[in-house]
Amino acid sequence: MCARTIDEIFYIFAQNQRNATQTEQIKVPVRVRIKDIALKAGVSTGTVDRVIHNRGNVATKVKEHVERVMTEMGYKRNLIASTLAYNKTLRIAALIFDQDDPYWFQINQGLEKAQEATLHYGVNLDTFFCDQGNPVMFQKLATEIVESHPDAVLVAPLFLKEGLHFLQLCAKKGIPVAIINTQMPKAKALCYIGQDSYQSGFIAARLLNFGMKKKATVLLLNLDPGPTNAQHLLDKERGFREYFKDDGKSITVLSENFEQYRDQKALKSWFIKILGKYKDLSGVFVTNSRAYMLLDCIDKRYFQDIVMVGFDLVGPNIEYLKSNRINFLINQNPVLQGYLGVINLVNHLILRQEVAQIQYLPLDIVVRENCDYYTRANVSYPATIF
Amino acid sequence: MCARTIDEIFYIFAQNQRNATQTEQIKVPVRVRIKDIALKAGVSTGTVDRVIHNRGNVATKVKEHVERVMTEMGYKRNLIASTLAYNKTLRIAALIFDQDDPYWFQINQGLEKAQEATLHYGVNLDTFFCDQGNPVMFQKLATEIVESHPDAVLVAPLFLKEGLHFLQLCAKKGIPVAIINTQMPKAKALCYIGQDSYQSGFIAARLLNFGMKKKATVLLLNLDPGPTNAQHLLDKERGFREYFKDDGKSITVLSENFEQYRDQKALKSWFIKILGKYKDLSGVFVTNSRAYMLLDCIDKRYFQDIVMVGFDLVGPNIEYLKSNRINFLINQNPVLQGYLGVINLVNHLILRQEVAQIQYLPLDIVVRENCDYYTRANVSYPATIF
DNA sequence: ATTCTTTTTGTGTGCGCGCACAATAGACGA
DNA sequence: TCGTCTATTGTGCGCGCACACAAAAAGAAT
């Protein structure tokens, strides 16, 4: 009675129907089980199992036959049952940066969301926080992580050299790695989830360019502690400059790093100096989420005719966006980066699904009027794995 | 040995570890099972089960005790096991519109994606396609659907009256409904997933306004068959007009319906006439995904000084966006609308989770430079339920 | 033909939960 | 005290799969 031939793949829906008051019978595709394959192929479930998982020890002839029956009947592994029976835990180690920074706080929110969603799949997330601008600490945490033998790793490799080293270590140990935030083309990881930095710089330029005069100076500003050798910053700058190359105007692109951005006075006097030097400064592009820090210490009136473009929907940025002091923000979707980073590892390791190697998140253009829709968390990225 | 007291909620991770070469022991939170609760509370699993599901037939004292133990130990239902054991099928009937229209094609793609993702949860999706501009057919299909006793319904209530009627029928039968695309404030449904139409009209206006002269005329154009009584169109127009009310300029907003949009000649001559009448026409806002239809039949040179804003990333629109004939598109995320519509019903019925009643999708501003990131399907909306 | 390997195939148990049904205790009247 | 009825509690099976182990069949060697 559990027997189902290929011709019986459809069964009467009413049987399983809860409110089976209806007499009308509706046919519904039924899920084919290992048992059904075994019966049809005239073997035991164990043999089918061996074929499915390529465990070997199956006569070639039998194997082929079973495979044929499987495709005929359209077998699909039941992920629910499979996961339940698999019954393994998975430890993921994540290496990100200190949560004082609202951007990294949001990344971590994504991680926590993912942890919650995957708890039932036996996923355990260990998150390590590195101080920004501290490659030594990064190196140390990386070593610690590798030595703790995690099943998978998620990392934001802000430091070029140390990041690469970490990835190589993981590769040697056979630990799959998901990269977020900063792409590392040279490294072979399971996947990268984040933005196309080059293109984000390009778009930033385009947004600055809206209504800009024929001749002007624009400033690309890195507010980063320590040396900015992160790949994504270099790419952003490339994209930014590229746009102005052939826009038909005559725009001078100035690019500057300012490391002591936490020192308001220093930042202020430095920027005022820039303003004095470049009288036609009409656009500022802050390459990370710290645009607000510049605005915090410089008076409104200096920005009268300057278009501001920044990154990320962090609290202070949003305020400036709403008060029209920032014109555009490009959303890097930190929450989704963290979330998808974990999800992809789980997809790979537990659900054994293919994952795309490069997953560029959209470059959301955020203005005052559509800002709320990106910040409100009312859209339920499914709270549970589908 | 299965016994776990509250103090033993942490156990040694290495036990379950696959590559258990390590000697270091890592503590990991363990998932509490019904069995653990039962043991701790000194009752049987059946009793715990009755408490969890509020099935009654439990002495008040015992019930309270079990509940206390549950919160103490932090019990969380294992969705995997729960779903597997629940073993019910769920038939969802979806009522959307004919797939010839690329927009509705994308909605359906979302539905199919969701069907695939939820197959393991025993979800069966029945999709009904209504002809656009045909309320009679809508009514008929709605009746048919209600009579087939689905477990849940997903609908895009383009027709005000018929939509409301459908929703009332479902409410009477106790069938939960997810609404997409068109909000119906009066109806009480499980949830609405789509855009804030008012705000999308508002943003469209803002985008048109970029670099527009002080005095100009803009056209809001409905290309819809039949009477456009859909709520979302009305809301869009409200938002659109609202923006120009206090922008400090003097913009005349013209709004027109043109039903025979499929007739290229008619559309062309009609639009040329408009152009002749309003010499200062400098912006056109097409309120749905059919902006391309206008461009298809009107020569490029007529649009020299006209900013175009439309909706949706359908093929022809994208082409015009890339060739600079459409300046902005607002993405309504049709795929996600369909996908989340189904997912939310499943979340509600199978996973028995709370779902938010209004889920506004972001108002993505799409320009030539960020278009690809919205169309590429490389970001894996988790292929399986989380 | 017999024994011993090796290959191939079959069977049984458990994952955690939901639910039907069996079992027990308590209440009450005869 | 006993039976009966009801309120409460306990037990067992199945969901579909993964995996360990038992069983059988097929070769290989004597």
Side-chain angles (χ1 to χ4, degrees), chain B residues 13-117:
Chain B
F13 173 66
Q15 298 171 353
N16 268 18
Q17 185 63 325
R18 256 165 291 174
N19 40 1
T21 49
Q22 56 187 332
T23 48
E24 200 190 344
Q25 293 179 334
I26 300 165
K27 288 193 174 189
V28 157
V30 85
R31 289 156 290 165
V32 179
R33 303 160 301 178
I34 286 184
K35 215 197 256 185
D36 303 316
I37 301 293
L39 203 74
K40 184 90 203 298
V43 296
S44 72
T45 60
T47 302
V48 177
D49 176 77
R50 275 181 283 269
V51 173
I52 289 174
H53 294 89
N54 252 313
R55 295 192 215 282
N57 287 328
V58 178
T60 335
K61 230 176 132 181
V62 175
K63 185 180 171 187
E64 278 163 4
H65 178 223
V66 169
E67 276 167 347
R68 198 158 353 99
V69 173
M70 283 206 299
T71 45
E72 260 179 25
M73 299 185 72
Y75 174 77
K76 284 193 173 179
R77 188 164 55 104
N78 182 326
L79 285 183
I80 304 293
S82 173
T83 306
L84 183 63
Y86 192 53
N87 198 31
K88 293 244 164 64
T89 56
L90 179 71
R91 201 172 63 89
I92 299 179
L95 178 45
I96 60 173
F97 291 84
D98 43 288
Q99 292 198 68
D100 301 340
D101 188 318
Y103 178 74
W104 292 101
F105 183 80
Q106 290 182 12
I107 295 246
N108 192 47
Q109 279 187 313
L111 295 185
E112 285 176 353
K113 244 177 157 172
Q115 162 70 92
E116 197 191 326

Side-chain angles (χ1 to χ4, degrees), chain A residues 223-236:
Chain A
L223 294 178
D224 253 308
T228 58
N229 63 356
Q231 188 62 40
H232 64 140
L233 292 181
L234 302 175
D235 291 338
K236 275 177 191 169

Side-chain angles (χ1 to χ4, degrees), chain B residues 92-95 145 150-155 166 170 175-179 345:
Chain B
I92 299 179
L95 178 45
I145 286 174
D151 297 296
V153 161
L154 181 145
V155 64
F166 185 25
C170 291
I175 304 172
V177 180
I179 298 177
L345 288 171

Side-chain angles (χ1 to χ4, degrees), chain B residues 9-10 14 29 72 83 86 104 118 133 153 184 192 194 199-200 221 234 237 247 250 282 287 304 359 365:
Chain B
I9 277 192
F10 286 82
E72 260 179 25
T83 306
Y86 192 53
W104 292 101
T118 58
V153 161
M184 300 215 83
Y192 163 73
Q199 195 68 11
S200 74
L221 179 56
L234 303 175
E237 177 160 353
D247 69 328
S250 152
S282 45
T287 58
Q304 217 77 57
Q359 301 183 30
I365 298 172

Side-chain angles (χ1 to χ4, degrees), chain A residues 196 364 373-374 383-386, chain B residues 196 364 373-374 383-386:
Chain A
D196 183 342
D364 298 322
Y373 302 95
Y374 288 105
T384 38
I385 308 193
F386 274 93
Chain B
D196 182 342
D364 299 321
Y373 302 95
Y374 289 104
T384 38
I385 309 192
F386 276 93

